[in-house]
Amino acid sequence: MIDRKVLFVDDSPTMRRIIKNSLKKIGFTDFVEAEHGIDAFEKLEEEGDISLILTDWNMPEMNGEEFVKKVRSTEPFSKLPILMITTRGMKDDVITAVKIGVNGYVVKPFTPDVLKMKIKQVLEKVG
Amino acid sequence: MNDEKASTIIEKIEEMRDFLRIGDEVIPFLGELFRFIQQVMPLMSEVNSSFKDSTSKLPDAEDRISDVTKATELATTEIMDTLDEISENVELLAEGQSEEKQKIAETINNHIQDVLMSLQFQDITSQKLTHANQILVAISKKFSGLHLKTEHIKLNTKIGEKMINELQIGINSEKIKKDSEDFHKETEDVIRHEKISQDDIDDLFG
Ligand SMILES: [Mg+2]
């Protein structure tokens, strides 16, 4: 059991279920899900004790890039560890992600092992 | 009239002749381009309302992509529900069984997990479809711009008038008609199974 509340954001119900499933397998028990950036930011404020964010990039309303920028510029969330899980696999995308302050990056489709490893790396990096 | 003047006039006439010769080649080409745009527009455009008719396929394509996404999402959810159920039953079956059987149960559940993970394709393909559609919409906007320009030429220039004549006379009208039919066939929707019930199908078979 990992004592951390995770917020995961993806507009695809299929992906949300897969991510949730993988998080359970990894050992997380406390999670909140959101459909897009606006939804996610509301949940972040509501919950108040989220300590890890996994976010998609391509989403309606507010995409992952905008969401990350908003988190990074709002206290007390600006230092939260963020892992991006996306179909966008171009080098430029990754560079953008690094620039806006994403801590780790996983390209879909991913395996539970890769997700586990990336989460571990992100948490080691940011804590 | 001296020789110098005469040769200047001849030169000018030659220039005009060249210009007209270019016109002879350009006009049929413009005519063809114009017909091409006319054929493509109903397929592509929802931008220019004068072409917004029942044959316009692009908005339809957009709706269908969202339908396909929803349908695959639903099917994927059903697959996941079933897999979860199988997984639970396998665990129940394995309870209190020999180590060997428990190992088999574990292997089955690992396979189920692999299938679950591979369902990520649903999100990925939906996004690819959406992207393909975005490209279509962008191209269609370009075509609309092109179409507006040809309309302008048609209405405001002599060449435009000639182009209309070229179109209306239809030197190769049989060929034009065939081109148009071929184009329509190539872009026809062959997987449009719009709500014919099995009963209706059975009735048709008598
Ligand atoms: Mg998405």
Side-chain angles (χ1 to χ4, degrees):
Chain A
M1 204 175 95
I2 302 169
D3 191 24
R4 248 174 212 278
K5 191 183 267 187
V6 190
L7 168 66
F8 58 93
V9 198
D10 201 304
D11 58 321
S12 156
T14 306
M15 282 313 304
R16 286 204 300 276
R17 189 149 163 188
I18 287 171
I19 291 168
K20 191 173 172 178
N21 202 294
S22 306
L23 286 173
K24 276 188 194 162
K25 282 262 164 344
I26 293 168
F28 288 95
T29 51
D30 205 359
F31 16 69
V32 182
E33 54 186 279
E35 285 178 37
H36 49 70
I38 293 174
D39 186 20
F41 200 80
E42 276 171 19
K43 300 240 161 90
L44 198 59
E45 286 181 316
E46 266 168 39
E47 299 288 330
D49 57 348
I50 282 158
S51 57
L52 171 63
I53 297 173
L54 313 182
T55 184
D56 182 23
W57 190 324
N58 297 334
M59 297 180 286
E61 311 296 333
M62 183 193 276
N63 68 29
E65 185 183 350
E66 293 160 330
F67 172 62
V68 171
K69 281 181 183 164
K70 190 158 184 192
V71 173
R72 285 286 175 257
S73 61
T74 313
E75 292 308 339
F77 312 120
S78 69
K79 299 279 191 301
L80 281 177
I82 301 178
L83 176 66
M84 198 150 219
I85 306 174
T86 172
T87 49
R88 297 170 75 128
M90 304 294 282
K91 197 179 165 194
D92 284 350
D93 295 327
V94 184
I95 291 170
T96 303
V98 172
K99 264 190 201 150
I100 61 174
V102 166
N103 306 109
Y105 197 97
V106 174
V107 179
K108 294 174 189 170
F110 62 87
T111 62
D113 288 343
V114 166
L115 187 67
K116 190 176 176 178
M117 196 175 76
K118 288 295 152 198
I119 288 177
K120 196 170 158 247
Q121 283 174 358
V122 164
L123 292 178
E124 275 168 11
K125 242 197 280 181
V126 193
Chain B
M1 191 192 284
N2 61 34
D3 282 359
E4 208 178 312
K5 263 189 184 168
S7 73
T8 311
I9 289 169
I10 289 167
E11 257 175 51
K12 290 279 172 215
I13 290 171
E14 282 295 328
E15 274 176 26
M16 277 175 74
R17 235 188 235 156
D18 279 348
F19 180 75
L20 289 173
R21 234 174 267 145
I22 290 169
D24 281 349
E25 298 206 4
V26 167
I27 289 165
F29 167 71
L30 286 179
E32 203 168 310
L33 184 64
F34 187 74
R35 275 194 300 275
F36 169 70
I37 292 168
Q38 277 200 323
Q39 281 177 6
V40 172
M41 284 303 292
L43 184 76
M44 293 284 208
S45 174
E46 86 270 56
V47 180
N48 183 341
S49 60
S50 68
F51 271 87
K52 202 176 186 178
D53 61 14
S54 57
T55 57
S56 179
K57 289 180 182 173
L58 200 71
D60 189 35
E62 220 161 330
D63 287 349
R64 303 266 311 287
I65 285 168
S66 126
D67 285 351
V68 166
T69 301
K70 277 187 201 129
T72 54
E73 230 164 62
L74 216 69
T76 311
T77 305
E78 279 173 20
I79 294 169
M80 286 174 152
D81 288 345
T82 312
L83 287 173
D84 280 349
E85 220 177 296
I86 295 172
S87 188
E88 278 166 27
N89 284 330
V90 169
E91 270 167 34
L92 279 177
L93 276 177
E95 259 173 27
Q97 297 291 323
S98 65
E99 205 174 306
E100 192 193 1
K101 283 188 175 159
Q102 294 210 8
K103 265 230 167 86
I104 295 172
E106 202 189 311
T107 310
I108 295 174
N109 273 340
N110 285 341
H111 286 323
I112 289 172
Q113 191 61 30
D114 291 346
V115 177
L116 274 172
M117 292 308 290
S118 69
L119 291 173
Q120 289 177 75
F121 88 92
Q122 191 269 325
D123 177 41
I124 297 165
T125 47
S126 293
Q127 287 195 48
K128 288 206 161 134
L129 270 178
T130 304
H131 181 230
N133 191 52
Q134 281 165 349
I135 292 172
L136 265 181
V137 170
I139 293 172
S140 109
K141 281 186 181 158
K142 292 272 176 215
F143 269 113
S144 278
L146 206 54
H147 170 253
L148 287 176
K149 270 182 199 153
T150 55
E151 284 283 293
H152 182 82
I153 291 171
K154 191 173 85 179
L155 292 172
N156 296 299
T157 65
K158 283 256 181 265
I159 276 191
E161 255 182 66
K162 278 194 167 191
M163 221 165 61
I164 296 173
N165 288 339
E166 157 80 14
L167 270 172
Q168 282 166 351
I169 296 162
I171 306 160
N172 273 320
S173 61
E174 275 308 306
K175 189 185 176 296
I176 290 165
K177 212 176 137 205
K178 197 181 170 303
D179 277 356
S180 186
E181 278 170 12
D182 287 351
F183 187 79
H184 191 76
K185 251 186 212 159
E186 274 170 36
T187 56
E188 199 177 24
D189 185 355
V190 288
I191 42 169
R192 175 190 285 279
H193 18 224
E194 233 155 39
K195 279 168 205 143
I196 179 161
S197 68
Q198 186 61 52
D199 285 344
D200 287 341
I201 295 171
D202 293 345
D203 283 349
L204 286 170
F205 279 92

mmCIF file of all heavy atoms in Angstrom, chain A residues 12-15 17-18 21-22 25 58 87 108-110 112, chain B residues 73 76-77 80-81 84 113 116-117 119-120 122-124 127:
data_model
loop_
_atom_site.group_PDB
_atom_site.id
_atom_site.type_symbol
_atom_site.label_atom_id
_atom_site.label_comp_id
_atom_site.label_asym_id
_atom_site.label_seq_id
_atom_site.Cartn_x
_atom_site.Cartn_y
_atom_site.Cartn_z
ATOM 1 N N SER A 12 -10.444 9.902 -21.848
ATOM 2 C CA SER A 12 -10.937 8.600 -22.288
ATOM 3 C C SER A 12 -11.305 7.717 -21.085
ATOM 4 O O SER A 12 -10.445 7.412 -20.243
ATOM 5 C CB SER A 12 -9.856 7.908 -23.130
ATOM 6 O OG SER A 12 -10.045 6.511 -23.107
ATOM 7 N N PRO A 13 -12.584 7.299 -21.008
ATOM 8 C CA PRO A 13 -12.994 6.408 -19.915
ATOM 9 C C PRO A 13 -12.191 5.114 -19.908
ATOM 10 O O PRO A 13 -11.853 4.587 -18.846
ATOM 11 C CB PRO A 13 -14.466 6.111 -20.214
ATOM 12 C CG PRO A 13 -14.918 7.163 -21.153
ATOM 13 C CD PRO A 13 -13.702 7.609 -21.912
ATOM 14 N N THR A 14 -11.861 4.618 -21.118
ATOM 15 C CA THR A 14 -11.045 3.404 -21.225
ATOM 16 C C THR A 14 -9.702 3.613 -20.531
ATOM 17 O O THR A 14 -9.264 2.786 -19.727
ATOM 18 C CB THR A 14 -10.783 3.062 -22.712
ATOM 19 O OG1 THR A 14 -12.023 2.985 -23.390
ATOM 20 C CG2 THR A 14 -10.030 1.767 -22.859
ATOM 21 N N MET A 15 -9.069 4.736 -20.839
ATOM 22 C CA MET A 15 -7.757 5.005 -20.247
ATOM 23 C C MET A 15 -7.853 5.193 -18.737
ATOM 24 O O MET A 15 -6.991 4.722 -17.997
ATOM 25 C CB MET A 15 -7.125 6.263 -20.879
ATOM 26 C CG MET A 15 -6.522 6.065 -22.246
ATOM 27 S SD MET A 15 -5.444 4.621 -22.417
ATOM 28 C CE MET A 15 -4.243 4.901 -21.138
ATOM 29 N N ARG A 17 -9.882 3.830 -16.728
ATOM 30 C CA ARG A 17 -10.028 2.522 -16.090
ATOM 31 C C ARG A 17 -8.707 1.762 -16.076
ATOM 32 O O ARG A 17 -8.354 1.110 -15.084
ATOM 33 C CB ARG A 17 -11.099 1.728 -16.847
ATOM 34 C CG ARG A 17 -11.465 0.471 -16.134
ATOM 35 C CD ARG A 17 -12.896 0.106 -16.376
ATOM 36 N NE ARG A 17 -13.159 -1.270 -16.034
ATOM 37 C CZ ARG A 17 -14.301 -1.878 -16.288
ATOM 38 N NH1 ARG A 17 -15.266 -1.221 -16.902
ATOM 39 N NH2 ARG A 17 -14.489 -3.127 -15.960
ATOM 40 N N ILE A 18 -7.980 1.844 -17.192
ATOM 41 C CA ILE A 18 -6.690 1.147 -17.273
ATOM 42 C C ILE A 18 -5.688 1.739 -16.273
ATOM 43 O O ILE A 18 -4.961 1.014 -15.591
ATOM 44 C CB ILE A 18 -6.143 1.190 -18.722
ATOM 45 C CG1 ILE A 18 -6.971 0.237 -19.590
ATOM 46 C CG2 ILE A 18 -4.664 0.836 -18.776
ATOM 47 C CD1 ILE A 18 -6.705 0.326 -21.072
ATOM 48 N N ASN A 21 -6.688 0.724 -12.755
ATOM 49 C CA ASN A 21 -6.330 -0.681 -12.597
ATOM 50 C C ASN A 21 -4.827 -0.839 -12.316
ATOM 51 O O ASN A 21 -4.421 -1.578 -11.409
ATOM 52 C CB ASN A 21 -6.712 -1.380 -13.901
ATOM 53 C CG ASN A 21 -6.890 -2.854 -13.721
ATOM 54 O OD1 ASN A 21 -5.920 -3.547 -13.428
ATOM 55 N ND2 ASN A 21 -8.112 -3.344 -13.879
ATOM 56 N N SER A 22 -4.030 -0.124 -13.105
ATOM 57 C CA SER A 22 -2.577 -0.222 -12.949
ATOM 58 C C SER A 22 -2.149 0.339 -11.603
ATOM 59 O O SER A 22 -1.263 -0.220 -10.937
ATOM 60 C CB SER A 22 -1.873 0.556 -14.064
ATOM 61 O OG SER A 22 -2.321 0.128 -15.317
ATOM 62 N N LYS A 25 -2.717 -2.148 -8.965
ATOM 63 C CA LYS A 25 -1.702 -3.209 -9.051
ATOM 64 C C LYS A 25 -0.387 -2.755 -8.431
ATOM 65 O O LYS A 25 0.319 -3.528 -7.788
ATOM 66 C CB LYS A 25 -1.456 -3.588 -10.527
ATOM 67 C CG LYS A 25 -2.526 -4.486 -11.110
ATOM 68 C CD LYS A 25 -2.068 -5.932 -11.075
ATOM 69 C CE LYS A 25 -3.116 -6.981 -11.253
ATOM 70 N NZ LYS A 25 -4.501 -6.773 -11.139
ATOM 71 N N ASN A 58 -3.805 15.335 -24.613
ATOM 72 C CA ASN A 58 -4.916 15.725 -25.501
ATOM 73 C C ASN A 58 -6.260 15.515 -24.821
ATOM 74 O O ASN A 58 -6.714 14.386 -24.662
ATOM 75 C CB ASN A 58 -4.887 14.896 -26.791
ATOM 76 C CG ASN A 58 -3.633 15.148 -27.601
ATOM 77 O OD1 ASN A 58 -3.024 16.206 -27.503
ATOM 78 N ND2 ASN A 58 -3.250 14.170 -28.411
ATOM 79 N N THR A 87 -0.443 10.097 -25.898
ATOM 80 C CA THR A 87 -0.146 9.490 -27.211
ATOM 81 C C THR A 87 0.899 10.318 -27.954
ATOM 82 O O THR A 87 1.428 9.885 -28.966
ATOM 83 C CB THR A 87 -1.404 9.451 -28.107
ATOM 84 O OG1 THR A 87 -2.006 10.728 -28.091
ATOM 85 C CG2 THR A 87 -2.376 8.398 -27.665
ATOM 86 N N LYS A 108 1.681 6.398 -24.556
ATOM 87 C CA LYS A 108 0.702 5.316 -24.683
ATOM 88 C C LYS A 108 0.978 4.530 -25.958
ATOM 89 O O LYS A 108 1.320 5.141 -26.961
ATOM 90 C CB LYS A 108 -0.714 5.899 -24.788
ATOM 91 C CG LYS A 108 -1.214 6.607 -23.557
ATOM 92 C CD LYS A 108 -2.576 7.247 -23.885
ATOM 93 C CE LYS A 108 -3.066 8.160 -22.773
ATOM 94 N NZ LYS A 108 -4.242 8.949 -23.167
ATOM 95 N N PRO A 109 0.796 3.223 -25.991
ATOM 96 C CA PRO A 109 0.365 2.400 -24.880
ATOM 97 C C PRO A 109 1.531 2.074 -23.943
ATOM 98 O O PRO A 109 2.651 1.905 -24.390
ATOM 99 C CB PRO A 109 -0.123 1.121 -25.570
ATOM 100 C CG PRO A 109 0.672 1.031 -26.833
ATOM 101 C CD PRO A 109 0.967 2.439 -27.241
ATOM 102 N N PHE A 110 1.219 1.998 -22.650
ATOM 103 C CA PHE A 110 2.270 1.704 -21.672
ATOM 104 C C PHE A 110 1.967 0.361 -21.004
ATOM 105 O O PHE A 110 0.857 -0.163 -21.127
ATOM 106 C CB PHE A 110 2.336 2.821 -20.617
ATOM 107 C CG PHE A 110 1.068 2.960 -19.820
ATOM 108 C CD1 PHE A 110 0.857 2.211 -18.671
ATOM 109 C CD2 PHE A 110 0.072 3.830 -20.228
ATOM 110 C CE1 PHE A 110 -0.316 2.330 -17.944
ATOM 111 C CE2 PHE A 110 -1.114 3.964 -19.495
ATOM 112 C CZ PHE A 110 -1.305 3.204 -18.358
ATOM 113 N N PRO A 112 2.128 -1.864 -17.212
ATOM 114 C CA PRO A 112 2.120 -1.541 -15.781
ATOM 115 C C PRO A 112 3.535 -1.370 -15.238
ATOM 116 O O PRO A 112 3.767 -0.516 -14.386
ATOM 117 C CB PRO A 112 1.438 -2.751 -15.144
ATOM 118 C CG PRO A 112 0.657 -3.392 -16.226
ATOM 119 C CD PRO A 112 1.397 -3.111 -17.494
ATOM 120 N N GLU B 73 -15.802 2.789 -27.289
ATOM 121 C CA GLU B 73 -15.676 2.998 -25.854
ATOM 122 C C GLU B 73 -16.609 2.061 -25.088
ATOM 123 O O GLU B 73 -16.223 1.416 -24.118
ATOM 124 C CB GLU B 73 -16.060 4.443 -25.533
ATOM 125 C CG GLU B 73 -15.055 5.186 -24.684
ATOM 126 C CD GLU B 73 -15.335 6.670 -24.761
ATOM 127 O OE1 GLU B 73 -16.428 7.084 -24.353
ATOM 128 O OE2 GLU B 73 -14.465 7.394 -25.265
ATOM 129 N N THR B 76 -15.472 -1.487 -25.413
ATOM 130 C CA THR B 76 -14.291 -1.697 -24.570
ATOM 131 C C THR B 76 -14.699 -1.860 -23.107
ATOM 132 O O THR B 76 -14.167 -2.714 -22.397
ATOM 133 C CB THR B 76 -13.310 -0.508 -24.712
ATOM 134 O OG1 THR B 76 -13.106 -0.259 -26.092
ATOM 135 C CG2 THR B 76 -11.981 -0.823 -24.084
ATOM 136 N N THR B 77 -15.660 -1.031 -22.676
ATOM 137 C CA THR B 77 -16.143 -1.152 -21.298
ATOM 138 C C THR B 77 -16.729 -2.537 -21.055
ATOM 139 O O THR B 77 -16.461 -3.161 -20.022
ATOM 140 C CB THR B 77 -17.212 -0.072 -21.016
ATOM 141 O OG1 THR B 77 -16.646 1.196 -21.312
ATOM 142 C CG2 THR B 77 -17.665 -0.103 -19.566
ATOM 143 N N MET B 80 -13.979 -5.016 -20.728
ATOM 144 C CA MET B 80 -13.310 -4.879 -19.423
ATOM 145 C C MET B 80 -14.151 -5.477 -18.294
ATOM 146 O O MET B 80 -13.605 -6.138 -17.411
ATOM 147 C CB MET B 80 -13.040 -3.403 -19.141
ATOM 148 C CG MET B 80 -11.916 -2.849 -19.975
ATOM 149 S SD MET B 80 -11.798 -1.074 -19.692
ATOM 150 C CE MET B 80 -10.079 -0.830 -20.015
ATOM 151 N N ASP B 81 -15.467 -5.211 -18.346
ATOM 152 C CA ASP B 81 -16.350 -5.777 -17.319
ATOM 153 C C ASP B 81 -16.257 -7.300 -17.318
ATOM 154 O O ASP B 81 -16.127 -7.931 -16.267
ATOM 155 C CB ASP B 81 -17.814 -5.363 -17.581
ATOM 156 C CG ASP B 81 -18.047 -3.891 -17.281
ATOM 157 O OD1 ASP B 81 -17.182 -3.289 -16.610
ATOM 158 O OD2 ASP B 81 -19.077 -3.350 -17.723
ATOM 159 N N ASP B 84 -12.933 -8.500 -15.946
ATOM 160 C CA ASP B 84 -12.901 -8.389 -14.484
ATOM 161 C C ASP B 84 -13.639 -9.552 -13.834
ATOM 162 O O ASP B 84 -13.190 -10.123 -12.837
ATOM 163 C CB ASP B 84 -13.531 -7.060 -14.034
ATOM 164 C CG ASP B 84 -12.556 -5.904 -14.185
ATOM 165 O OD1 ASP B 84 -11.359 -6.170 -14.432
ATOM 166 O OD2 ASP B 84 -12.990 -4.739 -14.065
ATOM 167 N N GLN B 113 -4.766 -9.492 -17.546
ATOM 168 C CA GLN B 113 -4.157 -8.173 -17.346
ATOM 169 C C GLN B 113 -3.555 -7.642 -18.654
ATOM 170 O O GLN B 113 -3.725 -6.466 -18.991
ATOM 171 C CB GLN B 113 -3.071 -8.307 -16.265
ATOM 172 C CG GLN B 113 -2.533 -6.997 -15.743
ATOM 173 C CD GLN B 113 -3.612 -6.154 -15.099
ATOM 174 O OE1 GLN B 113 -4.581 -6.680 -14.552
ATOM 175 N NE2 GLN B 113 -3.485 -4.839 -15.202
ATOM 176 N N LEU B 116 -6.325 -6.450 -20.891
ATOM 177 C CA LEU B 116 -6.815 -5.154 -20.386
ATOM 178 C C LEU B 116 -5.903 -4.010 -20.836
ATOM 179 O O LEU B 116 -6.365 -2.982 -21.320
ATOM 180 C CB LEU B 116 -6.861 -5.170 -18.849
ATOM 181 C CG LEU B 116 -8.123 -5.720 -18.192
ATOM 182 C CD1 LEU B 116 -7.918 -5.850 -16.695
ATOM 183 C CD2 LEU B 116 -9.313 -4.812 -18.473
ATOM 184 N N MET B 117 -4.606 -4.215 -20.674
ATOM 185 C CA MET B 117 -3.664 -3.158 -21.036
ATOM 186 C C MET B 117 -3.694 -2.876 -22.527
ATOM 187 O O MET B 117 -3.556 -1.735 -22.958
ATOM 188 C CB MET B 117 -2.234 -3.552 -20.621
ATOM 189 C CG MET B 117 -1.992 -3.614 -19.130
ATOM 190 S SD MET B 117 -2.487 -2.135 -18.221
ATOM 191 C CE MET B 117 -1.256 -0.952 -18.760
ATOM 192 N N LEU B 119 -6.110 -2.835 -24.384
ATOM 193 C CA LEU B 119 -7.299 -2.055 -24.763
ATOM 194 C C LEU B 119 -7.001 -0.550 -24.851
ATOM 195 O O LEU B 119 -7.860 0.230 -25.259
ATOM 196 C CB LEU B 119 -8.450 -2.333 -23.800
ATOM 197 C CG LEU B 119 -9.031 -3.752 -23.905
ATOM 198 C CD1 LEU B 119 -10.038 -4.004 -22.803
ATOM 199 C CD2 LEU B 119 -9.673 -3.982 -25.265
ATOM 200 N N GLN B 120 -5.801 -0.164 -24.512
ATOM 201 C CA GLN B 120 -5.395 1.239 -24.705
ATOM 202 C C GLN B 120 -5.507 1.649 -26.166
ATOM 203 O O GLN B 120 -5.595 2.823 -26.496
ATOM 204 C CB GLN B 120 -3.950 1.441 -24.264
ATOM 205 C CG GLN B 120 -3.756 1.369 -22.767
ATOM 206 C CD GLN B 120 -2.292 1.497 -22.393
ATOM 207 O OE1 GLN B 120 -1.728 2.573 -22.440
ATOM 208 N NE2 GLN B 120 -1.672 0.396 -22.031
ATOM 209 N N GLN B 122 -7.909 1.570 -27.936
ATOM 210 C CA GLN B 122 -9.178 2.266 -28.192
ATOM 211 C C GLN B 122 -8.977 3.793 -28.152
ATOM 212 O O GLN B 122 -9.425 4.505 -29.049
ATOM 213 C CB GLN B 122 -10.222 1.817 -27.163
ATOM 214 C CG GLN B 122 -11.644 2.273 -27.481
ATOM 215 C CD GLN B 122 -11.978 3.605 -26.869
ATOM 216 O OE1 GLN B 122 -11.521 3.923 -25.775
ATOM 217 N NE2 GLN B 122 -12.770 4.380 -27.563
ATOM 218 N N ASP B 123 -8.305 4.267 -27.138
ATOM 219 C CA ASP B 123 -8.043 5.708 -27.032
ATOM 220 C C ASP B 123 -7.118 6.158 -28.159
ATOM 221 O O ASP B 123 -7.353 7.189 -28.792
ATOM 222 C CB ASP B 123 -7.401 5.998 -25.660
ATOM 223 C CG ASP B 123 -7.032 7.465 -25.497
ATOM 224 O OD1 ASP B 123 -7.836 8.318 -25.918
ATOM 225 O OD2 ASP B 123 -5.959 7.765 -24.943
ATOM 226 N N ILE B 124 -6.098 5.352 -28.428
ATOM 227 C CA ILE B 124 -5.100 5.744 -29.428
ATOM 228 C C ILE B 124 -5.726 5.838 -30.824
ATOM 229 O O ILE B 124 -5.539 6.826 -31.533
ATOM 230 C CB ILE B 124 -3.906 4.753 -29.404
ATOM 231 C CG1 ILE B 124 -3.219 4.823 -28.032
ATOM 232 C CG2 ILE B 124 -2.920 5.063 -30.516
ATOM 233 C CD1 ILE B 124 -2.272 3.668 -27.742
ATOM 234 N N GLN B 127 -8.024 8.837 -31.216
ATOM 235 C CA GLN B 127 -7.283 10.084 -31.407
ATOM 236 C C GLN B 127 -6.730 10.189 -32.824
ATOM 237 O O GLN B 127 -6.682 11.272 -33.403
ATOM 238 C CB GLN B 127 -6.144 10.173 -30.403
ATOM 239 C CG GLN B 127 -6.658 10.463 -29.002
ATOM 240 C CD GLN B 127 -5.550 10.904 -28.065
ATOM 241 O OE1 GLN B 127 -4.761 11.770 -28.404
ATOM 242 N NE2 GLN B 127 -5.486 10.310 -26.901
#
